[in-house]
Amino acid sequence: MSKLRYTFLEEAANLYDAEKQLTRALPKMAAAAEHQELKQAFQSYLTETQEHVRRLERVLEMLDHTAINRKCAAMQGLIAEGEERISDEAGDAALICIAQKIVHYEMAGYGCLRTWASLLEEEDASDLLQETFDEENAADEHLTSLAVQMINAAENEVEDEDAMEDALERKHHRR
């Protein structure tokens, strides 16, 4: 079990840094979002992410460990990709895509940590990690819902524009 405990602590430190990096990236994502609902979602996720940092600190304390200074290269890469998309003005669809990539990365990490905490008989830690996993899952579902809403709104906008063009064309032909 000592190897599992070591791996658990390494991954917890990795996720701790990932969450801290995300607290710096989410305000930029919120500022870049065009739709108000997406801006609000990113602001809400920032509050949740700050709580995720605190939970990880508690989990590490439960295991008599402090977060080691470790850089999460995966999150660094995901955030860099997001910054490229923001500077390309790729729009809300691209922001949702990168946000979901981040959420899926975190879900994988928290799912492993939760399972390992149970194997290490650290049930309180497992419960905290499950809580974060559930919030990440809810964030993923919310982002999917926002994406569908935006696509439907864009389709309706195109249909409305087409209908207006048709009406103008018919009016023009009547003259």
Side-chain angles (χ1 to χ4, degrees), residues 30-87:
E34 296 170 22
H35 288 82
Q36 191 59 35
E37 284 183 73
L38 186 57
K39 282 182 183 293
Q40 290 171 345
F42 287 142
Q43 291 163 348
S44 173
Y45 300 152
L46 175 59
T47 302
E48 278 187 6
T49 300
Q50 291 165 335
E51 179 58 29
H52 297 169
V53 169
R54 287 188 287 276
R55 272 192 211 130
L56 279 170
E57 288 169 347
R58 289 197 324 246
V59 165
L60 289 166
E61 285 173 14
M62 288 175 186
L63 293 158
D64 296 322
H65 196 75
T66 57
I68 57 174
N69 192 11
R70 186 171 204 282
K71 194 57 129 178
C72 178
M75 184 61 74
Q76 202 169 16
L78 288 167
I79 289 171
E81 181 181 335
E83 288 173 351
E84 282 178 30
R85 303 305 293 272
I86 289 170
S87 66

Side-chain angles (χ1 to χ4, degrees), residues 150-164:
M150 287 180 211
I151 290 168
N152 288 337
E155 285 176 354
N156 290 337
E157 193 174 294
V158 168
E159 288 172 5
D160 291 346
E161 287 175 9
D162 290 346
M164 190 181 300

Side-chain angles (χ1 to χ4, degrees), residues 50-175:
Q50 291 165 335
E51 179 58 29
H52 297 169
V53 169
R54 287 188 287 276
R55 272 192 211 130
L56 279 170
E57 288 169 347
R58 289 197 324 246
V59 165
L60 289 166
E61 285 173 14
M62 288 175 186
L63 293 158
D64 296 322
H65 196 75
T66 57
I68 57 174
N69 192 11
R70 186 171 204 282
K71 194 57 129 178
C72 178
M75 184 61 74
Q76 202 169 16
L78 288 167
I79 289 171
E81 181 181 335
E83 288 173 351
E84 282 178 30
R85 303 305 293 272
I86 289 170
S87 66
D88 291 345
E89 298 182 24
D92 287 350
L95 286 171
I96 289 172
C97 180
I98 195 65
Q100 285 192 293
K101 287 180 181 182
I102 288 169
V103 167
H104 290 189
Y105 171 76
E106 291 176 311
M107 287 171 64
Y110 282 110
C112 288
L113 285 179
R114 173 207 55 218
T115 301
W116 295 341
S118 288
L119 291 171
L120 293 167
E121 298 178 354
E122 296 287 348
E123 293 308 318
D124 290 341
S126 180
D127 291 345
L128 285 175
L129 295 163
Q130 180 65 51
E131 190 174 342
T132 302
F133 179 88
D134 291 343
E135 289 173 358
E136 296 292 356
N137 191 48
D140 181 48
E141 290 173 3
H142 187 225
L143 288 166
T144 298
S145 173
L146 287 174
V148 169
Q149 288 174 21
M150 287 180 211
I151 290 168
N152 288 337
E155 285 176 354
N156 290 337
E157 193 174 294
V158 168
E159 288 172 5
D160 291 346
E161 287 175 9
D162 290 346
M164 190 181 300
E165 286 178 18
D166 290 345
L168 288 173
E169 191 173 306
R170 284 193 304 273
K171 185 177 180 180
H172 178 49
H173 285 313
R174 287 184 198 154
R175 289 187 180 168

